[in-house]
Amino acid sequence: MVDPWEKKPVRIVCISDTHSMHEEIDDIPDGDVLVHAGDCLGRGTLFELDDFNYWLGELPHAHKILIAGNHDWCFERYPDKARPLVTNAVYLEESGVTIDGIEFWGSPYTPRFRDWAFNVDRGEKIASHWAKIPETTDVLITHGPPEGIFDEVVGPDCGMSVGCADLAKRIDSLHLKAHIFGHIHEAYGYGVRAKDGVKFANASICDKRYRAIRKPIVIDLVA
Ligand code: 5GP
Ligand code: MN
Ligand code: MN
Ligand code: MN
């Protein structure tokens, strides 16, 4: 018998770094909330964004959340044109939304690497963005990982942890249920941190060579 007071979990389906290759994703499970953690585009044009938004509209999820990543230039350069194009998701940029009793917060910033969109210097500057994350946040969505968690690059910098130390520090002062990100494609993965039970997902769909080969990550949360 089902306990009438039992809370049904909210199913969050996580994707990131689809880089305008969304049509190639194998299979997206249904769920209550679809979260895209940035780099939905390749070159970052409004034209690409319009195509991506159309694709989002065909997905069955009741709620969809999108943040920008460092490739998604149109959100930084032409916010007044880009934001209205997103008609099939809630776009978060240092802002939040509550769905089924779960508080989400989204932020596009990543530590400066070359010179991409939403790049901010490590240290005080980027920490001032993380300081804006509300204490009540349940699910944090950032484009990049915190330092030490699904953030290791391969290639010339093999094994180097490039996530944001200031972000790692901030999330340790919060009481998150989950943190969803992408950006470091090769560090795709999911895990639950032993010390506090926070669920971490690097949901990069593309691999290092921009092939859309990874599976969406599913997180079930009780509000
Ligand atoms: P994207 O250009 O899609 O943001 O990132 C693609 C890849 O660039 C990542 O999978 C990673 O290999 C590399 N990358 C991104 N950011 C950094 C960074 O801050 N440091 C290093 N070493 N590599 C990065
Ligand atoms: Mn990417
Ligand atoms: Mn809360
Ligand atoms: Mn990125």
Side-chain angles (χ1 to χ4, degrees):
M1 220 176 73
V2 176
D3 178 348
W5 291 281
E6 190 184 335
K7 279 193 179 166
K8 194 178 150 279
V10 174
R11 174 155 287 190
I12 303 170
V13 177
C14 312
I15 58 176
S16 188
D17 299 79
T18 50
H19 288 289
S20 286
M21 286 180 288
H22 38 268
E23 296 285 0
E24 281 158 47
I25 306 172
D26 222 20
D27 177 46
I28 302 192
D30 196 4
D32 301 296
V33 189
L34 179 81
V35 169
H36 193 299
D39 278 1
C40 62
L41 309 181
R43 294 173 48 233
T45 62
L46 292 165
F47 180 82
E48 286 177 317
L49 180 60
D50 195 40
D51 175 69
F52 176 74
N53 178 65
Y54 180 85
W55 175 80
L56 272 183
E58 292 181 321
L59 297 176
H61 311 77
H63 307 275
K64 296 157 192 169
I65 298 174
L66 174 69
I67 70 162
N70 56 299
H71 280 249
D72 305 329
W73 283 105
C74 58
F75 287 106
E76 190 175 73
R77 287 186 177 155
Y78 318 110
D80 297 345
K81 287 189 172 130
R83 289 175 182 223
L85 286 179
V86 185
T87 58
N88 292 317
V90 175
Y91 175 72
L92 296 183
E93 188 179 312
E94 293 210 299
S95 56
V97 63
T98 301
I99 296 169
D100 295 344
I102 295 178
E103 285 185 41
F104 294 82
W105 182 265
S107 184
Y109 302 101
T110 44
R112 190 171 303 289
F113 176 63
R114 307 205 171 113
D115 199 14
W116 288 94
F118 299 106
N119 270 192
V120 177
D121 294 334
R122 291 177 189 266
E124 248 174 66
K125 278 197 181 144
I126 203 160
S128 73
H129 289 288
W130 309 140
K132 295 181 197 169
I133 304 167
E135 307 281 340
T136 51
T137 302
D138 297 306
V139 178
L140 177 63
I141 309 162
T142 57
H143 178 52
E147 181 184 50
I149 300 173
F150 300 119
D151 72 332
E152 284 186 16
V153 291
V154 299
D157 297 327
C158 199
M160 196 168 84
S161 176
V162 298
C164 182
D166 301 289
L167 179 57
K169 215 164 138 189
R170 178 65 178 143
I171 62 177
D172 278 349
S173 75
L174 299 169
H175 305 280
L176 301 178
K177 291 188 164 95
H179 183 186
I180 301 162
F181 50 86
H183 184 51
I184 305 304
H185 299 180
E186 56 272 50
Y188 169 88
Y190 172 78
V192 182
R193 185 156 71 175
K195 72 169 179 185
D196 53 13
V198 179
K199 297 171 159 115
F200 291 92
N202 178 330
S204 297
I205 291 294
C206 280
D207 69 356
K208 173 106 179 160
R209 290 148 77 185
Y210 296 88
R211 296 172 301 192
I213 57 171
R214 268 61 164 282
K215 287 188 191 328
I217 293 173
V218 174
I219 301 178
D220 286 325
L221 284 189
V222 177

